[in-house]
Amino acid sequence: KSGPLRLIHTAFSVARDSAMAPTVIHIDQCERIFEKKGKKASKDEAKNLKKDLISYRNKALSAEHRVIVIGTTNKPENINQKDLKKFFNKFLYTPLPDYSSRLMIWKKYILKGLQ
C-alpha cells in the first residue's frame, strides 16, 4: 500500500482502535473525490480513492468502532449524489448567509476588534 491508499488504511486503522474511540474522520473538499462524471475528465487517482474509501468504510467500520466520517464541500453542485449517498448516511445543507446576516456578522466582529 502506498500513497493515498496507505493514508486511508492508516486513518481507518487508527480510528478502529478502541483506545482512540470515539473518532472523527474529516474529509474536506469532497467534490474532488465524489466528482460528477463529465467534469474535467476524472482522474484515475480520484476514482480509485473513491472506491477505496467506500470499501474501507463498508468493510472496516461497524457501530462498535464508534467512528464518524464527516465530509464537507463548498461546491455541492459538482458532486455525484449517487456516490455520495453510498458513502455518507446523512446530509446537512447549510446555505451561505444572506446580505443582512453578513452585515450583522461584520458589525459584530468590527466592534469587537475596536474594543
Side-chain angles (χ1 to χ4, degrees):
K1 295 174 184 154
S2 63
L5 181 58
R6 186 176 193 173
L7 179 65
I8 292 170
H9 176 74
T10 304
F12 279 85
S13 296
V14 170
R16 283 193 313 262
D17 185 8
S18 60
M20 300 299 233
T23 308
V24 176
I25 297 175
H26 177 256
I27 303 171
D28 194 16
Q29 297 180 347
C30 284
E31 69 272 4
R32 290 184 177 186
I33 299 168
F34 299 102
E35 188 176 39
K36 279 186 182 177
K37 293 178 183 173
K39 287 280 216 185
K40 297 182 184 175
S42 288
K43 298 175 184 151
D44 287 335
E45 284 183 24
K47 194 180 289 186
N48 290 337
L49 185 62
K50 177 175 45 177
K51 287 178 186 175
D52 293 334
L53 271 173
I54 291 171
S55 69
Y56 265 91
R57 187 191 165 279
N58 293 337
K59 294 176 185 172
L61 295 180
S62 59
E64 71 261 4
H65 290 119
R66 297 177 56 197
V67 176
I68 186 168
V69 181
I70 297 175
T72 57
T73 181
N74 59 352
K75 298 176 183 175
E77 65 278 357
N78 293 345
I79 293 179
N80 184 346
Q81 296 295 324
K82 184 178 176 184
D83 289 337
L84 203 64
K85 288 178 182 177
K86 283 182 189 176
F87 190 74
F88 295 106
N89 298 329
K90 297 183 181 184
F91 299 92
L92 175 66
Y93 177 72
T94 307
L96 295 172
D98 60 348
Y99 179 78
S100 59
S101 299
R102 289 177 193 216
L103 186 63
M104 186 176 66
I105 292 168
W106 276 103
K107 281 183 181 179
K108 178 182 175 182
Y109 286 106
I110 289 172
L111 290 174
K112 186 177 179 181
L114 292 175
Q115 294 177 352

